[in-house]
Amino acid sequence: METKVFQTSEIKEAAALIKQGELISFPTETVYGLGADAKNEQAVQKVYQAKGRPSDNPLIVHVASKEEVVDYVKEIPEVAETLMNHFWPGPLTLIFKVKEGVFANTVTAGLDSVAIRMPDNEATLILIKEANTPLVGPSANTSGKPSPTMALHVYHDLKGKIAGILDDGETGVGLESTVLDITDPKNPTILRPGGISKAELEKEIGFVTVDQHLVSSDETPKAPGMKYKHYSPNEPVIIVDGDQQLWQNAVNHYQSLGEKIGLMANDEIIAGFSNQDIESFSLGEKGNIQTASHRMYAGLRHFEKTKATIILAEPYPENGLGIAYMNRLKKSAANQYYQKNE
Ligand code: TXA
Ligand code: MG
């Protein structure tokens, strides 16, 4: 199958393919999604196949308005109303009790709940309206790989397997949406940290819980997707948490083992290695978590095209967006840190 790249002037053509049950990758403010008609069982099954996604991992349904949600869910709790008004369109996914028979069965992977979000991207909102149906949209990467933040990433992973990609340049946030379970409205629970922080949510609705499995990762989390190997580039990733001297020690250590280093860090750290022949990818100026989050997935994918055999990556403080950044980075590194005494 030829995978066509559509410009934002060609949304109608892309929407027509969705209506025919084909897969179209769409841009959002977080990462690119892999779109299909959420009411078409065969189309949804093709999404799982194209990604190589385990079938027990349910999909997010993307809508073009708050108003249509009432057609899809059993009830809209007051907290959901408040959150939708405040954060939609935007990087917040809400888990509702699903109405039976609305979506294709495989969308919810057998659960009695459904994840819904309204993405903040004009082209994609038009695509959903033109297709006249909500779209499932897992991140448009091969299962286990870093999520795509540009059309080129999608093309790399899924060319020949999907009908098209709607190209709208780079995504904004760069990390996926926050997934919040509000099926028990008295106990809203973050199942996956993301573009909207816990503090931002609490400002609107009061106390928010964080699924403990996200903290101690030895058990199965409630967001089924969080249990799988995730965000892994071809090269192993090691987190280096320390000053320039520690970075130098880490570089020396892995070079002595015969590794070719890829540095993924802020400009200052990279500048410290400018006289050495080392691959690097900048996460932006020191301390800027927005830029680091925006660039991280592109960085993880970058080194595939270089001679690097190992990626040394910079951690950020675990607050605000930094919680989502570290959640993804630790998974891509399988929690491996460079130890000072190595
Ligand atoms: O930013 C995003 O959310 C992107 C863009 C494309 O919208 N999408 C995305 O989808 O990240 P995906 O499939 O890669 O991640 C969806 C997450 C998974 O961890 C999945 O287990 C969880 O949401 N999820 C989906 N439905 C759920 C449900 N009913 N209950 C609990 N978790 C659910
Ligand atoms: Mg994903």
Side-chain angles (χ1 to χ4, degrees):
M1 170 187 293
E2 193 205 342
T3 299
K4 185 159 183 223
V5 178
F6 295 100
Q7 302 307 311
T8 50
S9 55
E10 301 169 303
I11 299 178
K12 279 198 169 148
E13 282 178 73
L17 286 165
I18 295 266
K19 283 188 194 164
Q20 291 164 27
E22 298 295 340
L23 309 189
I24 298 287
S25 174
F26 59 81
T28 80
E29 78 283 30
T30 61
V31 301
Y32 274 77
L34 182 52
D37 179 352
K39 298 182 177 183
N40 179 333
E41 179 64 39
Q42 280 178 349
V44 177
Q45 282 186 14
K46 281 200 262 180
V47 169
Y48 283 90
Q49 278 160 20
K51 277 184 64 90
R53 183 180 178 102
S55 60
D56 64 346
N57 190 5
L59 305 175
I60 296 174
V61 173
H62 295 70
V63 298
S65 71
K66 296 166 202 143
E67 290 71 29
E68 68 192 274
V69 174
V70 66
D71 298 336
Y72 310 143
V73 307
K74 280 196 173 142
E75 53 172 329
I76 301 184
E78 218 177 294
V79 283
E81 198 76 54
T82 306
L83 293 169
M84 289 192 290
N85 285 333
H86 204 269
F87 294 107
W88 282 13
L92 177 66
T93 296
L94 297 172
I95 310 277
F96 296 89
K97 288 180 186 149
V98 68
K99 255 188 205 168
E100 276 145 49
V102 177
F103 298 117
N105 279 329
T106 35
V107 170
T108 57
L111 300 177
D112 53 12
S113 59
V114 64
I116 301 185
R117 94 175 188 96
M118 180 180 174
D120 189 8
N121 179 284
E122 218 182 293
T124 289
L125 292 176
I126 296 171
L127 177 72
I128 300 170
K129 283 181 200 148
E130 284 286 339
N132 196 26
T133 182
L135 303 183
V136 292
S139 48
N141 49 280
T142 299
S143 197
K145 291 290 156 196
S147 301
T149 55
M150 329 179 178
L152 195 67
H153 297 158
V154 180
Y155 195 77
H156 175 274
D157 281 18
L158 299 176
K159 66 170 172 296
K161 296 183 175 173
I162 65 177
I165 305 169
L166 179 57
D167 187 355
D168 191 25
E170 284 184 45
T171 62
V173 183
L175 301 175
E176 299 84 345
S177 63
T178 302
V179 177
L180 185 74
D181 186 349
I182 40 111
T183 52
D184 175 4
K186 288 191 215 70
N187 187 28
T189 304
I190 294 177
L191 304 185
R192 178 178 73 180
I196 305 284
S197 71
K198 178 169 184 275
E200 287 172 284
L201 294 172
E202 288 188 331
K203 225 178 119 198
E204 301 311 316
I205 58 166
F207 188 68
V208 169
T209 308
V210 176
D211 181 14
Q212 280 311 304
H213 301 105
L214 289 174
V215 185
S216 63
S217 59
D218 45 352
E219 288 167 82
T220 306
K222 267 168 86 188
M226 299 304 283
K227 75 181 180 212
Y228 296 105
K229 186 168 141 75
H230 250 101
Y231 320 113
S232 313
N234 292 346
E235 306 75 26
V237 179
I238 310 285
I239 301 171
V240 180
D241 188 6
D243 59 13
Q244 195 75 25
Q245 185 58 55
L246 189 78
W247 278 87
Q248 187 62 63
N249 294 351
V251 166
N252 294 345
H253 171 72
Y254 290 107
Q255 283 180 334
S256 78
L257 297 176
E259 302 282 3
K260 298 260 185 294
I261 310 292
L263 288 182
M264 187 170 90
N266 73 61
D267 293 334
E268 212 175 289
I269 291 170
I270 290 173
F273 292 93
S274 58
N275 56 350
Q276 300 174 38
D277 178 26
I278 287 181
E279 300 289 346
S280 66
F281 183 93
S282 167
L283 291 175
E285 61 182 39
K286 187 178 173 182
N288 189 331
I289 184 63
Q290 268 77 27
T291 309
S293 298
H294 172 72
R295 294 186 185 172
M296 174 170 58
Y297 287 140
L300 291 173
R301 285 173 176 267
H302 167 78
F303 295 101
E304 201 173 287
K305 297 170 288 185
T306 73
K307 60 183 192 296
T309 57
I310 192 168
I311 301 172
L312 302 184
E314 185 188 6
Y316 279 72
E318 290 189 60
N319 50 54
L321 189 57
I323 294 176
Y325 174 94
M326 288 307 293
N327 171 270
R328 309 304 193 273
L329 184 63
K330 283 183 196 168
K331 280 171 185 278
S332 75
N335 242 326
Q336 284 198 82
Y337 280 72
Y338 172 69
Q339 302 294 331
K340 292 180 184 17
N341 54 0
E342 276 183 271

Short mmCIF file of all heavy atoms in Angstrom, two decimals, residues 79-121:
data_model
loop_
_atom_site.label_atom_id
_atom_site.label_comp_id
_atom_site.label_asym_id
_atom_site.label_seq_id
_atom_site.Cartn_x
_atom_site.Cartn_y
_atom_site.Cartn_z
N VAL A 79 -17.22 17.01 37.63
CA VAL A 79 -15.77 17.26 37.47
C VAL A 79 -15.36 17.19 36.00
O VAL A 79 -14.53 17.98 35.54
CB VAL A 79 -14.87 16.26 38.26
CG1 VAL A 79 -14.83 16.59 39.73
CG2 VAL A 79 -15.25 14.83 38.01
N ALA A 80 -15.99 16.28 35.26
CA ALA A 80 -15.65 16.15 33.84
C ALA A 80 -16.06 17.40 33.08
O ALA A 80 -15.32 17.92 32.24
CB ALA A 80 -16.33 14.92 33.25
N GLU A 81 -17.25 17.88 33.40
CA GLU A 81 -17.77 19.10 32.79
C GLU A 81 -16.77 20.25 33.00
O GLU A 81 -16.38 20.95 32.06
CB GLU A 81 -19.11 19.43 33.46
CG GLU A 81 -19.99 20.38 32.69
CD GLU A 81 -20.68 19.71 31.50
OE1 GLU A 81 -21.35 18.69 31.70
OE2 GLU A 81 -20.51 20.25 30.39
N THR A 82 -16.35 20.41 34.25
CA THR A 82 -15.40 21.47 34.60
C THR A 82 -14.10 21.30 33.82
O THR A 82 -13.57 22.27 33.25
CB THR A 82 -15.07 21.41 36.11
OG1 THR A 82 -16.30 21.44 36.84
CG2 THR A 82 -14.17 22.55 36.54
N LEU A 83 -13.59 20.07 33.78
CA LEU A 83 -12.30 19.84 33.12
C LEU A 83 -12.39 20.04 31.61
O LEU A 83 -11.50 20.62 30.99
CB LEU A 83 -11.80 18.43 33.44
CG LEU A 83 -11.41 18.20 34.91
CD1 LEU A 83 -11.18 16.73 35.20
CD2 LEU A 83 -10.17 19.02 35.27
N MET A 84 -13.47 19.57 31.01
CA MET A 84 -13.63 19.74 29.56
C MET A 84 -13.71 21.23 29.22
O MET A 84 -13.08 21.68 28.26
CB MET A 84 -14.90 19.03 29.07
CG MET A 84 -14.78 17.53 29.09
SD MET A 84 -16.13 16.70 28.20
CE MET A 84 -17.51 17.01 29.26
N ASN A 85 -14.48 21.97 30.03
CA ASN A 85 -14.59 23.41 29.77
C ASN A 85 -13.25 24.11 29.89
O ASN A 85 -12.94 25.02 29.15
CB ASN A 85 -15.58 24.05 30.74
CG ASN A 85 -17.01 23.72 30.38
OD1 ASN A 85 -17.31 23.45 29.22
ND2 ASN A 85 -17.88 23.68 31.37
N HIS A 86 -12.45 23.64 30.83
CA HIS A 86 -11.19 24.34 31.09
C HIS A 86 -10.04 23.90 30.18
O HIS A 86 -9.22 24.71 29.77
CB HIS A 86 -10.80 24.17 32.55
CG HIS A 86 -9.91 25.26 33.02
ND1 HIS A 86 -8.54 25.18 32.97
CD2 HIS A 86 -10.20 26.49 33.51
CE1 HIS A 86 -8.03 26.30 33.42
NE2 HIS A 86 -9.00 27.11 33.74
N PHE A 87 -9.95 22.60 29.90
CA PHE A 87 -8.74 22.08 29.23
C PHE A 87 -8.95 21.62 27.79
O PHE A 87 -7.97 21.29 27.11
CB PHE A 87 -8.13 20.95 30.04
CG PHE A 87 -7.59 21.40 31.38
CD1 PHE A 87 -8.26 21.08 32.55
CD2 PHE A 87 -6.42 22.14 31.46
CE1 PHE A 87 -7.77 21.50 33.78
CE2 PHE A 87 -5.92 22.55 32.68
CZ PHE A 87 -6.59 22.24 33.85
N TRP A 88 -10.17 21.51 27.33
CA TRP A 88 -10.41 21.08 25.94
C TRP A 88 -10.62 22.26 25.02
O TRP A 88 -11.30 23.19 25.44
CB TRP A 88 -11.62 20.15 25.87
CG TRP A 88 -11.36 18.75 26.33
CD1 TRP A 88 -10.28 18.28 27.01
CD2 TRP A 88 -12.24 17.62 26.14
NE1 TRP A 88 -10.42 16.93 27.27
CE2 TRP A 88 -11.61 16.50 26.74
CE3 TRP A 88 -13.48 17.44 25.53
CZ2 TRP A 88 -12.20 15.23 26.75
CZ3 TRP A 88 -14.06 16.19 25.54
CH2 TRP A 88 -13.42 15.09 26.13
N PRO A 89 -10.14 22.27 23.80
CA PRO A 89 -9.23 21.25 23.28
C PRO A 89 -7.88 21.34 23.97
O PRO A 89 -7.40 22.44 24.25
CB PRO A 89 -9.11 21.60 21.79
CG PRO A 89 -9.44 23.06 21.73
CD PRO A 89 -10.42 23.34 22.84
N GLY A 90 -7.27 20.18 24.24
CA GLY A 90 -5.98 20.19 24.92
C GLY A 90 -5.55 18.81 25.38
O GLY A 90 -6.30 17.84 25.22
N PRO A 91 -4.34 18.72 25.96
CA PRO A 91 -3.73 17.41 26.24
C PRO A 91 -4.25 16.72 27.50
O PRO A 91 -3.47 16.31 28.37
CB PRO A 91 -2.23 17.74 26.35
CG PRO A 91 -2.19 19.15 26.81
CD PRO A 91 -3.41 19.83 26.22
N LEU A 92 -5.56 16.60 27.61
CA LEU A 92 -6.18 15.88 28.74
C LEU A 92 -7.16 14.85 28.21
O LEU A 92 -8.13 15.20 27.52
CB LEU A 92 -6.91 16.86 29.65
CG LEU A 92 -7.65 16.20 30.82
CD1 LEU A 92 -6.66 15.56 31.80
CD2 LEU A 92 -8.54 17.21 31.55
N THR A 93 -6.90 13.58 28.53
CA THR A 93 -7.81 12.48 28.17
C THR A 93 -8.60 12.09 29.40
O THR A 93 -8.02 11.91 30.47
CB THR A 93 -6.98 11.27 27.67
OG1 THR A 93 -6.30 11.64 26.47
CG2 THR A 93 -7.86 10.07 27.40
N LEU A 94 -9.93 11.96 29.24
CA LEU A 94 -10.77 11.59 30.38
C LEU A 94 -11.35 10.19 30.16
O LEU A 94 -11.77 9.86 29.04
CB LEU A 94 -11.91 12.60 30.53
CG LEU A 94 -11.47 14.04 30.83
CD1 LEU A 94 -12.66 15.00 30.77
CD2 LEU A 94 -10.80 14.12 32.21
N ILE A 95 -11.35 9.39 31.24
CA ILE A 95 -11.94 8.04 31.17
C ILE A 95 -13.36 8.10 31.72
O ILE A 95 -13.56 8.47 32.88
CB ILE A 95 -11.14 7.03 32.00
CG1 ILE A 95 -9.65 7.10 31.70
CG2 ILE A 95 -11.70 5.63 31.83
CD1 ILE A 95 -9.20 6.34 30.52
N PHE A 96 -14.33 7.77 30.88
CA PHE A 96 -15.75 7.75 31.25
C PHE A 96 -16.27 6.31 31.22
O PHE A 96 -15.69 5.44 30.59
CB PHE A 96 -16.57 8.51 30.20
CG PHE A 96 -16.29 9.97 30.07
CD1 PHE A 96 -15.30 10.44 29.20
CD2 PHE A 96 -17.02 10.90 30.79
CE1 PHE A 96 -15.05 11.79 29.06
CE2 PHE A 96 -16.79 12.27 30.65
CZ PHE A 96 -15.80 12.71 29.78
N LYS A 97 -17.44 6.10 31.87
CA LYS A 97 -18.17 4.84 31.69
C LYS A 97 -18.80 4.87 30.30
O LYS A 97 -19.54 5.80 29.98
CB LYS A 97 -19.25 4.69 32.75
CG LYS A 97 -18.67 4.40 34.12
CD LYS A 97 -19.77 4.25 35.16
CE LYS A 97 -19.15 4.10 36.54
NZ LYS A 97 -20.02 4.66 37.61
N VAL A 98 -18.51 3.86 29.50
CA VAL A 98 -18.93 3.91 28.09
C VAL A 98 -20.35 3.39 27.90
O VAL A 98 -20.79 2.47 28.58
CB VAL A 98 -17.93 3.10 27.21
CG1 VAL A 98 -18.00 1.60 27.49
CG2 VAL A 98 -18.15 3.38 25.73
N LYS A 99 -21.08 4.01 26.98
CA LYS A 99 -22.39 3.49 26.55
C LYS A 99 -22.13 2.25 25.71
O LYS A 99 -21.26 2.29 24.82
CB LYS A 99 -23.09 4.54 25.67
CG LYS A 99 -24.21 5.27 26.34
CD LYS A 99 -24.96 6.13 25.32
CE LYS A 99 -25.63 7.27 26.07
NZ LYS A 99 -26.13 8.32 25.16
N GLU A 100 -22.92 1.23 25.93
CA GLU A 100 -22.67 0.01 25.15
C GLU A 100 -23.09 0.18 23.69
O GLU A 100 -24.05 0.88 23.40
CB GLU A 100 -23.43 -1.17 25.77
CG GLU A 100 -22.64 -1.81 26.90
CD GLU A 100 -23.54 -2.32 28.02
OE1 GLU A 100 -24.51 -3.02 27.70
OE2 GLU A 100 -23.26 -1.97 29.19
N GLY A 101 -22.34 -0.45 22.80
CA GLY A 101 -22.74 -0.50 21.39
C GLY A 101 -22.44 0.73 20.57
O GLY A 101 -22.79 0.79 19.40
N VAL A 102 -21.79 1.72 21.14
CA VAL A 102 -21.49 2.94 20.38
C VAL A 102 -20.23 2.75 19.54
O VAL A 102 -20.21 3.01 18.34
CB VAL A 102 -21.29 4.15 21.31
CG1 VAL A 102 -20.90 5.37 20.49
CG2 VAL A 102 -22.55 4.42 22.13
N PHE A 103 -19.18 2.27 20.20
CA PHE A 103 -17.89 2.12 19.51
C PHE A 103 -17.65 0.65 19.12
O PHE A 103 -18.26 -0.25 19.69
CB PHE A 103 -16.74 2.58 20.41
CG PHE A 103 -16.84 4.04 20.78
CD1 PHE A 103 -16.99 4.43 22.10
CD2 PHE A 103 -16.77 5.02 19.80
CE1 PHE A 103 -17.09 5.77 22.44
CE2 PHE A 103 -16.86 6.37 20.12
CZ PHE A 103 -17.02 6.74 21.45
N ALA A 104 -16.75 0.48 18.16
CA ALA A 104 -16.30 -0.87 17.84
C ALA A 104 -15.77 -1.53 19.12
O ALA A 104 -15.16 -0.85 19.94
CB ALA A 104 -15.21 -0.80 16.78
N ASN A 105 -16.03 -2.83 19.28
CA ASN A 105 -15.66 -3.53 20.52
C ASN A 105 -14.20 -3.39 20.90
O ASN A 105 -13.86 -3.22 22.07
CB ASN A 105 -15.96 -5.03 20.38
CG ASN A 105 -17.43 -5.29 20.64
OD1 ASN A 105 -18.06 -4.57 21.42
ND2 ASN A 105 -17.98 -6.29 19.97
N THR A 106 -13.31 -3.48 19.92
CA THR A 106 -11.88 -3.49 20.22
C THR A 106 -11.35 -2.14 20.70
O THR A 106 -10.26 -2.08 21.24
CB THR A 106 -11.07 -3.93 18.98
OG1 THR A 106 -11.72 -3.42 17.84
CG2 THR A 106 -10.98 -5.43 18.89
N VAL A 107 -12.13 -1.07 20.52
CA VAL A 107 -11.68 0.25 20.98
C VAL A 107 -11.37 0.22 22.48
O VAL A 107 -10.36 0.74 22.94
CB VAL A 107 -12.75 1.34 20.70
CG1 VAL A 107 -12.38 2.66 21.39
CG2 VAL A 107 -12.91 1.55 19.21
N THR A 108 -12.26 -0.42 23.24
CA THR A 108 -12.13 -0.40 24.70
C THR A 108 -11.47 -1.65 25.24
O THR A 108 -11.34 -1.81 26.45
CB THR A 108 -13.51 -0.23 25.35
OG1 THR A 108 -14.36 -1.28 24.90
CG2 THR A 108 -14.14 1.10 24.96
N ALA A 109 -11.06 -2.57 24.35
CA ALA A 109 -10.37 -3.79 24.76
C ALA A 109 -11.11 -4.53 25.88
O ALA A 109 -10.50 -5.03 26.82
CB ALA A 109 -8.92 -3.48 25.16
N GLY A 110 -12.42 -4.52 25.79
CA GLY A 110 -13.21 -5.29 26.75
C GLY A 110 -13.51 -4.57 28.06
O GLY A 110 -14.21 -5.09 28.91
N LEU A 111 -13.02 -3.34 28.24
CA LEU A 111 -13.32 -2.59 29.47
C LEU A 111 -14.71 -1.97 29.37
O LEU A 111 -15.25 -1.82 28.28
CB LEU A 111 -12.27 -1.48 29.67
CG LEU A 111 -10.82 -1.92 29.83
CD1 LEU A 111 -9.90 -0.70 29.93
CD2 LEU A 111 -10.65 -2.81 31.05
N ASP A 112 -15.29 -1.57 30.52
CA ASP A 112 -16.59 -0.89 30.46
C ASP A 112 -16.42 0.63 30.49
O ASP A 112 -17.33 1.39 30.78
CB ASP A 112 -17.52 -1.37 31.58
CG ASP A 112 -16.88 -1.26 32.94
OD1 ASP A 112 -15.81 -0.60 33.03
OD2 ASP A 112 -17.43 -1.80 33.91
N SER A 113 -15.18 1.07 30.23
CA SER A 113 -14.89 2.51 30.19
C SER A 113 -14.25 2.87 28.86
O SER A 113 -13.77 1.99 28.13
CB SER A 113 -13.94 2.86 31.34
OG SER A 113 -12.74 2.13 31.20
N VAL A 114 -14.26 4.17 28.56
CA VAL A 114 -13.61 4.62 27.32
C VAL A 114 -12.83 5.91 27.58
O VAL A 114 -13.25 6.76 28.38
CB VAL A 114 -14.65 4.85 26.19
CG1 VAL A 114 -15.63 5.96 26.53
CG2 VAL A 114 -13.95 5.14 24.86
N ALA A 115 -11.69 6.03 26.92
CA ALA A 115 -10.85 7.22 27.03
C ALA A 115 -11.21 8.19 25.90
O ALA A 115 -11.25 7.79 24.74
CB ALA A 115 -9.37 6.81 26.92
N ILE A 116 -11.50 9.43 26.25
CA ILE A 116 -11.90 10.41 25.22
C ILE A 116 -11.10 11.71 25.38
O ILE A 116 -10.86 12.17 26.50
CB ILE A 116 -13.40 10.76 25.34
CG1 ILE A 116 -14.25 9.49 25.19
CG2 ILE A 116 -13.81 11.79 24.29
CD1 ILE A 116 -15.75 9.72 25.17
N ARG A 117 -10.67 12.26 24.24
CA ARG A 117 -10.06 13.58 24.30
C ARG A 117 -10.35 14.39 23.05
O ARG A 117 -10.60 13.84 21.98
CB ARG A 117 -8.55 13.49 24.59
CG ARG A 117 -7.61 13.50 23.40
CD ARG A 117 -6.17 13.51 23.93
NE ARG A 117 -5.16 13.71 22.89
CZ ARG A 117 -4.62 14.88 22.58
NH1 ARG A 117 -5.00 15.99 23.19
NH2 ARG A 117 -3.69 14.98 21.63
N MET A 118 -10.31 15.73 23.22
CA MET A 118 -10.47 16.65 22.08
C MET A 118 -9.12 17.31 21.84
O MET A 118 -8.67 18.12 22.65
CB MET A 118 -11.53 17.69 22.42
CG MET A 118 -11.77 18.69 21.31
SD MET A 118 -13.04 19.88 21.80
CE MET A 118 -12.98 21.00 20.41
N PRO A 119 -8.45 16.92 20.75
CA PRO A 119 -7.09 17.43 20.52
C PRO A 119 -7.09 18.89 20.09
O PRO A 119 -8.05 19.36 19.47
CB PRO A 119 -6.58 16.54 19.39
CG PRO A 119 -7.79 16.07 18.68
CD PRO A 119 -8.90 16.00 19.69
N ASP A 120 -6.03 19.59 20.38
CA ASP A 120 -5.91 21.01 20.05
C ASP A 120 -5.12 21.18 18.76
O ASP A 120 -3.98 21.62 18.76
CB ASP A 120 -5.23 21.74 21.21
CG ASP A 120 -5.29 23.25 21.02
OD1 ASP A 120 -5.98 23.71 20.10
OD2 ASP A 120 -4.64 23.97 21.81
N ASN A 121 -5.74 20.76 17.66
CA ASN A 121 -5.12 20.95 16.35
C ASN A 121 -6.24 21.18 15.34
O ASN A 121 -7.12 20.33 15.17
CB ASN A 121 -4.30 19.72 15.95
CG ASN A 121 -3.67 19.88 14.57
OD1 ASN A 121 -4.35 19.76 13.55
ND2 ASN A 121 -2.39 20.18 14.54
#
